[in-house]
Amino acid sequence: DQQVKQNSPSLSVQEGRISILNCDYTNSMFDYFLWYKKYPAEGPTFLISISSIKDKNEDGRFTVFLNKSAKHLSLHIVPSQPGDSAVYFCAAGGGSNYKLTFGKGTLLTVNP
Amino acid sequence: EAQVTQNPRYLITVTGKKLTVTCSQNMNHEYMSWYRQDPGLGLRQIYYSMNVEVTDKGDVPEGYKVSRKEKRNFPLILESPSPNQTSLYFCASSSFSSSYNEQFFGPGTRLTVL
């Protein structure tokens, strides 16, 4: 059973426009959510996180929105830059075992 | 520099030949974990460790072993590798003091089992 879902395998946007990456989850017990970015031949790197008691967290060009009633979160990147082209993973966690459950990832391509 | 290192980065082996992928972190993190990444399946947890001598299974532990004898090291052992273990493997670590278990990942090990 896939508890964290990223239903769009890929997304293509123009440089300067907004990128919106989506993530849905099924487990209402998750306490926090994270986004990771992954370039080819590198490990994932942490991007931004949000607690389940918040609905928005912003860090520079990156904003994560959480809609608990819909069990949905999204990552907004504004403005998008070619260097943002990467695979983005949504992850969710909580509980005593510190486990993170990852989605399958979305490949973002930002075209110059 | 704070980092997670993995060795080797690339490995081609044959079915049944035991191998070990090493993982080391220099951040004094309590938590360490192994993941595999496969096309269309994302990152799946293999094993994790909450501290020295404390390990537990993740979602896909079959065919793998781990040990945590020192805080900084968390090797992944494949006693008898099979072709379905061909994958990209990542080691990660985090501190219990982090708010949301932000995990630091190693650069990955690409394993091919023939």
Side-chain angles (χ1 to χ4, degrees):
Chain A
D1 177 35
Q2 196 182 348
Q3 296 190 65
V4 178
K5 301 177 185 179
Q6 295 178 256
N7 293 318
S8 298
S10 63
L11 174 68
S12 182
V13 299
Q14 286 299 121
E15 181 178 5
R17 306 294 290 268
I18 184 171
S19 296
I20 301 176
L21 297 105
N22 294 304
C23 179
D24 297 297
Y25 62 96
T26 57
N27 187 346
S28 58
M29 300 302 290
F30 286 134
D31 291 327
Y32 47 83
F33 304 88
L34 304 89
W35 285 94
Y36 279 82
K37 178 168 72 173
K38 184 186 178 304
Y39 293 120
E42 295 182 12
T45 55
F46 168 72
L47 193 57
I48 191 169
S49 60
I50 188 167
S51 164
S52 63
I53 62 173
K54 305 258 187 190
D55 56 17
K56 177 183 175 181
N57 187 28
E58 191 173 351
D59 184 2
R61 296 186 297 114
F62 303 90
T63 303
V64 57
F65 295 93
L66 176 62
N67 182 333
K68 281 192 70 176
S69 60
K71 294 190 176 71
H72 176 84
L73 64 153
S74 59
L75 175 68
H76 293 212
I77 306 174
V78 182
S80 301
Q81 300 174 352
D84 296 328
S85 297
V87 175
Y88 288 78
F89 289 100
C90 170
S96 59
N97 66 1
Y98 278 75
K99 179 178 179 177
L100 288 181
T101 300
F102 286 83
K104 294 182 179 182
T106 297
L107 173 62
L108 172 66
T109 302
V110 180
N111 301 301
Chain B
E1 179 190 356
Q3 60 183 352
V4 178
T5 57
Q6 295 179 228
N7 283 292
R9 292 291 312 277
Y10 302 91
L11 179 59
I12 301 174
T13 189
V14 296
T15 299
K17 186 176 181 180
K18 181 180 178 180
L19 68 92
T20 299
V21 183
T22 65
C23 172
S24 184
Q25 51 94 5
N26 62 1
M27 295 168 280
N28 201 36
H29 286 168
E30 299 86 0
Y31 184 93
M32 297 186 76
S33 182
W34 276 102
Y35 297 89
R36 59 180 288 174
Q37 183 188 3
D38 301 290
L41 295 177
L43 288 161
R44 294 180 294 167
Q45 189 182 53
I46 304 171
Y47 267 94
Y48 67 95
S49 171
M50 302 282 275
N51 218 322
V52 175
E53 304 291 2
V54 181
T55 63
D56 207 347
K57 296 176 181 179
D59 298 317
V60 288
E62 295 77 21
Y64 304 95
K65 284 176 57 176
V66 292
S67 69
R68 187 95 181 270
K69 292 183 170 54
E70 303 166 287
K71 196 172 186 179
R72 64 184 291 124
N73 295 324
F74 190 44
L76 179 69
I77 303 156
L78 285 73
E79 294 269 2
S80 183
S82 62
N84 64 13
Q85 292 178 297
T86 292
S87 188
L88 180 58
Y89 291 87
F90 292 101
C91 180
S93 72
S94 65
S95 169
F96 289 158
S97 63
S98 68
S99 301
Y100 306 129
N101 191 19
E102 297 95 356
Q103 294 184 17
F104 291 76
F105 281 79
T109 295
R110 185 165 292 281
L111 172 65
T112 302
V113 183
L114 302 174

